[in-house]
Amino acid sequence: MADEEVKTLEDLGELTGQGSGEDTPAPATAPVYEQQLDDQGRAYATGKRKDAVARVWLKPGAGRIEINGKEHAEYFARPVLQMILKQPIAAADRVDQYDIKATVRGGGLSGQAGAVRHGISKALTHYEPELRGVLKKGGFLTRDARVVERKKYGKAKARRSFQFSKR
């Protein structure tokens, strides 16, 4: 056995007793994602960022985005936050095809915009599973887990010490 030369993986399998017989499992295929809609034909997803949590409903429509009962331009007045909201829709090339309704709580405006963006991305994948690759490549499906570090006992802030004085 020691002087036999191994040239292929099949030869190696035969040496270890795991030949290419019928008992070897088939290669794993990519998971198939299915459309997930509620009884009203909407896709629902939850998005999170910092302390903000957004609940997002997505359905076919004219492209209206409503957040906490207000138009998105009214709720997020800064153009940067509006751009953050629309990133996943633009990346998926679905501008003005879906109406989006979101409720968002907690955190500040920046965190809320990030939470709504995350929720929109997840809802898009629930409505059209084939968009998952595009959105994942753009980084829209990844939950940004960075949160504020807690304040520690004996410190001025999370890590900042009190001013030292010799006298």
Side-chain angles (χ1 to χ4, degrees), residues 21-146:
E22 302 298 321
D23 58 338
T24 57
T29 58
V32 177
Y33 295 98
E34 295 179 7
Q35 191 179 44
Q36 299 173 7
L37 302 178
D38 62 5
D39 34 333
Q40 296 174 354
R42 304 175 300 183
Y44 169 77
T46 305
K48 295 181 180 182
R49 169 84 172 93
K50 294 187 177 181
D51 268 347
V53 179
R55 299 182 303 165
V56 178
W57 290 269
L58 182 126
K59 64 180 181 178
R64 289 195 53 219
I65 302 175
E66 184 182 302
I67 297 160
N68 289 352
K70 296 181 180 179
E71 197 62 37
H72 77 282
E74 186 182 343
Y75 192 83
F76 293 116
R78 281 188 274 163
V80 172
L81 299 179
Q82 295 175 26
M83 178 202 68
I84 287 172
L85 276 188
K86 296 177 183 176
Q87 281 178 334
I89 303 165
D93 200 28
R94 300 291 189 268
V95 179
D96 298 334
Q97 289 187 20
Y98 292 109
D99 283 344
I100 297 166
K101 185 176 183 194
T103 59
V104 62
R105 301 236 185 282
L109 286 178
S110 176
Q112 288 185 350
V116 173
R117 179 180 90 161
H118 187 227
I120 289 172
S121 304
K122 284 172 64 176
L124 272 170
T125 60
H126 291 327
Y127 203 89
E128 289 187 63
E130 60 273 5
L131 292 177
R132 184 174 171 81
V134 174
L135 294 171
K136 192 154 179 69
K137 195 171 285 184
F140 301 118
L141 296 177
T142 305
R143 157 76 158 105
D144 190 352
R146 294 176 295 171

